[in-house]
Amino acid sequence: MEIVLYGYWRSGTSYRTRIALNLKGLSYRQTTLDLRAGAQNSPEYKALNPQGLLPALEVDGATLTQSPAILEWLEERFPEPPLLPKTMDERAIVRAMAATIGCDIHPLNNLRVLKALKGSLGASQEQVNSWIARWIGDGFAALEQAIARHGQGFAYGDAPTLVDCYLVPQVYSAERFGVDLSPYPKLMEAASLARSLPAFAAAHPDNQPDAD
């Protein structure tokens, strides 16, 4: 079985997918699409993924898109080690924590939105940075409470879950844009522990073959 990941080194959704693949111990081949050059809009890639977004995963003759769906597929197809807890209630909490990032932070701060703010709406870089910090701050404030309640080293419990797959790339993005993370000590402790694991380190943008 060959797994092909279509992604970009600094894409947060590609980053979280690499983490999940690594945690599952899966080998995969990467195909790079440079978002800065608009490679995701090429006819060849849009034939594979009509939405023209990253990542996409080719495996067993199927093309999977949207990182939440890809991560859930990986959990079902390769259940060990698990990235979701055992009980239904616990799984719902983990999914909600992940969705705080996947639905409420990341989509508002991805490249196409930031380009629209600066291009179509004429926002300055200072205004764009303020926009980024606002949505990260709102989400991280809620996650700080959830991690304080449910974390036992990692964001949820004492082992990596889907939450950590989402959290580490979002912290990377926050640091990149100079967001003040001092109000979120529990969140940063969880992110630091996750980053210390080889699966997370190998997925870091700087360690990708297409990194600048």
Side-chain angles (χ1 to χ4, degrees):
M1 175 183 66
E2 183 183 36
I3 299 175
V4 181
L5 173 64
Y6 293 82
Y8 175 63
W9 67 287
R10 212 160 54 186
S11 155
T13 51
S14 301
Y15 190 175
R16 70 175 70 137
T17 304
R18 293 193 299 266
I19 292 170
L21 287 163
N22 293 345
L23 286 170
K24 295 293 185 181
L26 299 171
S27 298
Y28 55 96
R29 176 168 60 85
Q30 296 196 60
T31 296
T32 296
L33 295 164
D34 191 335
L35 296 181
R36 295 167 300 186
Q40 73 278 14
N41 295 314
S42 70
E44 294 79 11
Y45 183 65
K46 282 204 165 182
L48 189 72
N49 179 4
Q51 198 175 13
L53 297 177
L54 299 178
L57 199 72
E58 279 190 323
V59 57
D60 290 341
T63 300
L64 310 176
T65 61
Q66 290 287 352
S67 62
I70 292 172
L71 268 60
E72 290 279 354
W73 181 89
L74 288 170
E75 180 70 358
E76 292 184 24
R77 177 68 175 79
F78 306 98
E80 296 296 333
L83 299 180
L84 287 169
K86 293 181 179 180
T87 73
M88 186 182 299
D89 290 353
E90 289 177 313
R91 292 195 297 273
I93 293 169
V94 165
R95 287 182 170 117
M97 292 173 70
T100 300
I101 295 170
C103 299
D104 299 328
I105 300 177
H106 179 268
L108 293 168
N109 290 340
N110 69 13
L111 183 61
R112 61 178 181 164
V113 170
L114 301 184
K115 281 185 174 180
L117 289 174
K118 295 182 75 171
S120 303
L121 300 179
S124 67
Q125 187 60 53
E126 182 179 359
Q127 289 172 318
V128 170
N129 289 345
S130 177
W131 169 276
I132 291 169
R134 172 188 174 178
W135 300 116
I136 290 177
D138 284 358
F140 276 13
L143 281 171
E144 176 72 11
Q145 296 183 51
I147 292 169
R149 186 177 304 126
H150 301 293
Q152 298 173 33
F154 292 93
Y156 187 98
D158 60 0
T161 67
L162 288 183
V163 184
D164 303 284
C165 296
Y166 283 74
L167 178 62
V168 166
Q170 194 61 60
V171 167
Y172 169 84
S173 177
E175 291 172 337
R176 181 179 161 222
F177 287 104
V179 177
D180 179 14
L181 297 175
S182 62
Y184 321 112
K186 293 294 184 184
L187 182 151
M188 291 305 296
E189 287 174 11
S192 178
L193 178 59
R195 283 170 156 177
S196 72
L197 298 182
F200 287 81
H204 192 282
D206 291 348
N207 295 325
Q208 305 316 303
D210 56 328
D212 287 348

